Amino acid sequence: MAEPRLIMFDMDGTLIDSGAIIAEHMAATFRDHGLDVPTAEMSHSIIGLSLEIAMERLAQCDAETAILMAGTYRQHYRAMLAGGERHEPLYAGALEALNRLRAHEASILGIATGKRLSGVNRILALHALADHFVTLQTPDHNPSKPHPGMILRACAETGIDPSCTVMIGDTTFDMELGRSAGARTIGVSWGYHARVALEESGAHIIIDDYADLDDAIERVLS
């Protein structure tokens, strides 16, 4: 039997296409607080960080103000969800890739994301993915990316060494998270950070399509 391996996925920009919704709610939040509205590109640059830290960076404000802004942002998100007309779609090929990996006898799947656990569970339920993942790592019980805590905690929960772990994500925060934890890293080109940024932050491999993921995992762990 093959040696167990832990495959960790980022969520926003990697599994789900949430960039437009996030940018929209960021813009509304900044307007509510009387601040200049960030561009979509600016909002995309902080996706992956825990929300309060993202607000500090984007608004260049103190921690107390960031907490208030994060609360406003969550209000806008909840209002959207209450309307029931919009949600975050999976990227093309994501479901098929997850199904293949779930069927692989040695693969254990996990999530490492800047979303709160409640948001992660909502997305997993929305796309019928809850049974795919063994470990869910969020800012509820970890430091924000790129601190290695999410990977190290997932490894502790599953009993798998970081050297047998892969972090898959679309941002520099994901690559830095994986590298700092001693894991292998796979960048995806369809998310919110540029390919060159992923390369510079330590991606071992970058893929352009979910069809290439299985081979990339084999290559980084060989």
Side-chain angles (χ1 to χ4, degrees):
M1 183 175 178
E3 184 178 4
R5 60 194 193 179
L6 176 59
I7 314 299
M8 298 293 294
F9 285 86
D10 169 55
M11 190 161 270
D12 296 291
T14 301
L15 290 175
I16 58 171
D17 187 1
S18 52
I21 289 173
I22 290 172
E24 174 187 320
H25 295 329
M26 280 293 182
T29 297
F30 274 61
R31 281 194 294 269
D32 288 349
H33 287 266
L35 300 173
D36 292 338
V37 172
T39 64
E41 183 178 15
M42 292 166 65
S43 292
H44 291 172
S45 74
I46 50 76
I47 292 176
L49 298 172
S50 62
L51 186 55
E52 288 76 10
I53 291 177
M55 287 297 182
E56 279 191 58
R57 290 198 183 187
L58 198 54
Q60 297 185 328
C61 63
D62 57 41
E64 184 176 355
T65 301
I67 291 171
L68 293 174
M69 293 182 69
T72 302
Y73 177 93
R74 292 187 176 107
Q75 289 174 1
H76 284 291
Y77 223 109
R78 285 194 292 268
M80 179 198 75
L81 295 175
E85 298 178 357
R86 299 176 66 195
H87 64 81
E88 306 90 334
L90 290 171
Y91 282 103
L95 178 59
E96 293 80 2
L98 291 173
N99 286 340
R100 290 194 305 270
L101 288 170
R102 185 188 183 195
H104 189 281
E105 63 176 1
S107 294
I108 296 173
L109 307 186
I111 294 287
T113 178
K115 282 188 177 302
R116 282 184 168 181
L117 186 58
S118 58
V120 171
N121 285 329
R122 176 181 65 81
I123 294 294
L124 295 182
L126 175 68
H127 296 291
L129 290 173
D131 291 341
H132 285 64
F133 298 98
V134 171
T135 180
L136 305 177
Q137 301 303 324
T138 72
D140 299 78
H141 48 273
N142 292 289
S144 175
K145 298 175 184 179
H147 187 282
M150 290 189 188
I151 292 291
L152 296 178
R153 188 179 183 113
C155 289
E157 288 182 1
T158 60
I160 297 177
D161 192 82
S163 64
C164 297
T165 299
V166 181
M167 179 65 208
I168 301 162
D170 69 301
T171 70
T172 60
F173 313 127
D174 298 312
M175 302 303 99
E176 292 166 6
L177 162 66
R179 283 281 195 169
S180 62
R184 311 302 285 175
T185 54
I186 297 175
V188 302
S189 65
W190 53 80
Y192 306 128
H193 285 190
R195 176 184 289 268
V196 64
L198 296 177
E199 292 171 346
E200 291 174 351
S201 60
H204 289 101
I205 293 178
I206 299 176
I207 61 172
D208 299 312
D209 192 291
Y210 263 115
D212 301 324
L213 180 59
D214 306 68
D215 180 64
I217 291 171
E218 297 297 335
R219 288 166 60 194
V220 297
L221 289 177
S222 63

